[in-house]
Amino acid sequence: MKAESPRHLLRNPSLLILILLAAAALVQIAMAAEPEQTPAAQDAAVHIVYVDRPEGADAEEFHIRTLAPVLGSEEKAKDAVLYHYKHAASGFSAKLTPAQVEDLKKQPCVLQVTPSQTYQLHGSEGGHAGTTRTMGLM
């Protein structure tokens, strides 16, 4: 059986138009499926938010109620929180834009909002295996 080349599509313009329309529809569906990120959402970074939680208040509920006015709803706040800190300190981590950080700092119960950072305590920095980097603790 002889394989046909794509040239036969050029002889039938209605088939070519139908294929192009189908391809355009698939592109539109794919673009609609991906939520478009605003420039502010692209600037979002993980922050740790320390709060002054009233004694006896449930930590997770209090964190959600603190973040909800900034994000617009408790549902959005629940989705945004990455971790709840409940023992040594009260707070939470969430991915926030710079504008959201500023709004959150205005909440009366918020003590501090700081960008999350990862430190490497031991490593081969400078080519010396097993060295320790001092981070202002000594």
Side-chain angles (χ1 to χ4, degrees):
M1 180 175 210
K2 183 179 174 184
E4 287 189 44
S5 71
R7 289 186 193 177
H8 72 281
L9 293 175
L10 297 176
R11 287 185 236 140
N12 189 347
S14 350
L15 184 58
L16 180 61
I17 290 172
L18 182 63
I19 290 171
L20 290 174
L21 286 174
L26 287 174
V27 168
Q28 290 293 325
I29 290 170
M31 289 176 66
E34 290 184 25
E36 190 173 312
Q37 289 190 347
T38 63
Q42 294 170 351
D43 291 338
V46 176
H47 286 75
I48 299 177
V49 180
Y50 298 96
V51 296
D52 185 17
R53 178 173 45 102
E55 197 171 318
D58 180 75
E60 292 185 19
E61 288 177 11
F62 184 75
H63 299 159
I64 297 302
R65 284 196 314 269
T66 301
L67 186 56
V70 173
L71 299 184
S73 73
E74 286 193 6
E75 198 62 39
K76 288 180 182 178
K78 287 177 186 176
D79 290 341
V81 171
L82 302 173
Y83 189 80
H84 294 277
Y85 301 97
K86 304 181 232 179
H87 302 291
S90 183
F92 57 93
S93 61
K95 195 169 185 180
L96 303 167
T97 66
Q100 291 168 338
V101 168
E102 292 307 311
D103 286 347
L104 198 54
K105 286 180 179 179
K106 295 174 187 171
Q107 296 285 335
C109 60
V110 172
L111 300 173
Q112 182 179 14
V113 181
T114 182
S116 179
Q117 298 177 353
T118 303
Y119 293 99
Q120 180 179 352
L121 297 177
H122 297 280
S124 58
E125 187 174 305
H128 303 287
T131 59
T132 302
R133 181 186 309 166
T134 304
M135 297 182 306
L137 301 175
M138 294 183 200

